[in-house]
Structures are given as C-alpha cells and as structure tokens.
Amino acid sequence: MSQSVRSPAEVDTMVRTYGDMLFRICLSILKNPSDAEDAVQDTAIKYMQKSPVFLEPEHEKAWLIKVAVNECRITRRFWSRHPQISMDELRDCIPSPEPCEIVESLLALPDGVRIVMVLHYVEGYRTEEIAPMIGRSASAVKMRLQKGRKLLEQTYREERSSYGERKQTEGIV
C-alpha cells in the first residue's frame, strides 16, 4: 500500500502545497514558531518515510494534519518535563507591525478550543472533518467551537467596556 520512500521532489511539492497551513496549525497548538517549524519538519519526514498512497488530495491533507497534530502532542509531552516559551516571546514573532488582537485572543484560548477554532475558521474545515483529525466526536467539536466563540465574545466585551470606562475618566467624547 505504500511506496518505499518518497522522492525529495514529492516532499518539496507537499511542503509548498501544505507547509504554510501545517505551520499555522502547529503554531496555534504550540505557540512557538521554532517548535512549530520542527513539528512541520517531522511531519515532512514521516511523509517521506511512510510514503502513504492517497486516493484523493483531501485524504493526503487530512493525513498530514493528523500527523502534524500528533507531532505537536509529542512536543507538548516533552514540554511537560521542560520549561516553555513565554507568550511575550511569541508576540514578538507575529509579523504584523501592530499587534493583531484577534491572533492574541485566539492564542490565549485553551488548547482544545484553539485547535478546533483554527481548523474551522482559519483553515475552513467542517466539524465532521475536524473530528477525526483531533480524535473527538463531531458534537465535541461543535461544543468546542461554541465555547471558543463565547470566550472570544467575552474577551471583546471586556475590552469594549474597559475602553468605555477609560473614555469617561479621560473626558473623551
């Protein structure tokens, strides 16, 4: 069912096609660009070594996401025994010259909620597609999406109310 080893050209094509998406997913889980790059690289190595044959491009994409998420889990397991990077260091790596509040809010979500939000809203996956990728039921994915939306809404309501209070104390109309 699988070839012996994929050629470098095939791996290069895979990285050009899916590399950015895999990096965003890994970054949303790991919150560290270096570790996200490592997870994507490990995913590419597994792709090359295992050399699975896919009937459709969507199967290939789903396999790569599943492997990347598993690589992130391995990294997080490692982190449980070692120090982690701070959120301030992660914010320094965001390419935007001004802080992107939605990215910061998304990265501040709990892990299980964050990956589901990224896969659904950033990568465009349906709940039925996300469920097998993260090893949960479709209803669990829907609940995590609902929780994520509530948490983001709560964050923005708090920011708006603190902005309104600040305007009143500063005399801004």
Side-chain angles (χ1 to χ4, degrees):
M1 216 188 238
S2 38
Q3 307 165 1
S4 58
V5 173
R6 288 200 190 273
S7 72
E10 290 175 302
V11 175
D12 187 53
T13 300
M14 181 280 294
V15 170
R16 275 189 271 111
T17 305
Y18 300 113
D20 290 341
M21 175 202 58
L22 293 173
F23 178 77
R24 287 190 305 269
I25 291 169
C26 292
L27 182 61
S28 73
I29 295 170
L30 299 173
K31 300 180 185 181
N32 178 318
S34 298
D35 288 331
E37 289 172 356
D38 290 344
V40 172
Q41 191 173 48
D42 291 341
T43 301
I45 290 170
K46 286 209 166 96
Y47 178 79
M48 183 175 65
Q49 291 174 338
K50 302 285 182 189
S51 202
V53 177
F54 303 101
L55 300 175
E56 297 178 25
E58 281 301 311
H59 293 168
E60 178 180 37
K61 188 176 180 181
W63 186 88
L64 290 166
I65 290 171
K66 181 75 172 178
V67 171
V69 169
N70 286 339
E71 289 300 322
C72 291
R73 287 182 180 149
I74 291 167
T75 300
R76 291 181 53 136
R77 220 173 287 133
F78 175 81
W79 282 353
S80 69
R81 299 175 191 105
H82 299 85
Q84 297 182 21
I85 189 170
S86 70
M87 286 296 290
D88 292 331
E89 290 177 40
L90 176 64
R91 285 186 187 92
D92 292 341
C93 295
I94 295 175
S96 172
E98 297 177 14
C100 182
E101 294 166 7
I102 191 70
V103 171
E104 289 182 9
S105 298
L106 190 61
L107 291 174
L109 291 173
D111 298 332
V113 173
R114 184 178 56 251
I115 185 63
V116 169
M117 296 288 283
V118 168
L119 287 172
H120 185 71
Y121 290 109
V122 177
E123 299 301 331
Y125 282 96
R126 295 186 339 264
T127 55
E128 298 80 18
E129 295 171 317
I130 297 170
M133 290 179 199
I134 65 167
R136 300 284 187 254
S137 68
S139 66
V141 170
K142 289 176 186 175
M143 292 302 294
R144 288 180 184 194
L145 286 170
Q146 182 180 19
K147 182 178 180 180
R149 287 189 295 265
K150 283 183 180 179
L151 289 170
L152 288 175
E153 179 184 11
Q154 179 183 1
T155 300
Y156 282 102
R157 284 187 192 272
E158 290 170 1
E159 286 179 12
R160 288 181 73 194
S161 67
S162 68
Y163 177 73
E165 291 170 8
R166 196 173 26 164
K167 278 177 53 175
Q168 287 177 348
T169 59
E170 294 175 1
I172 300 172
V173 177

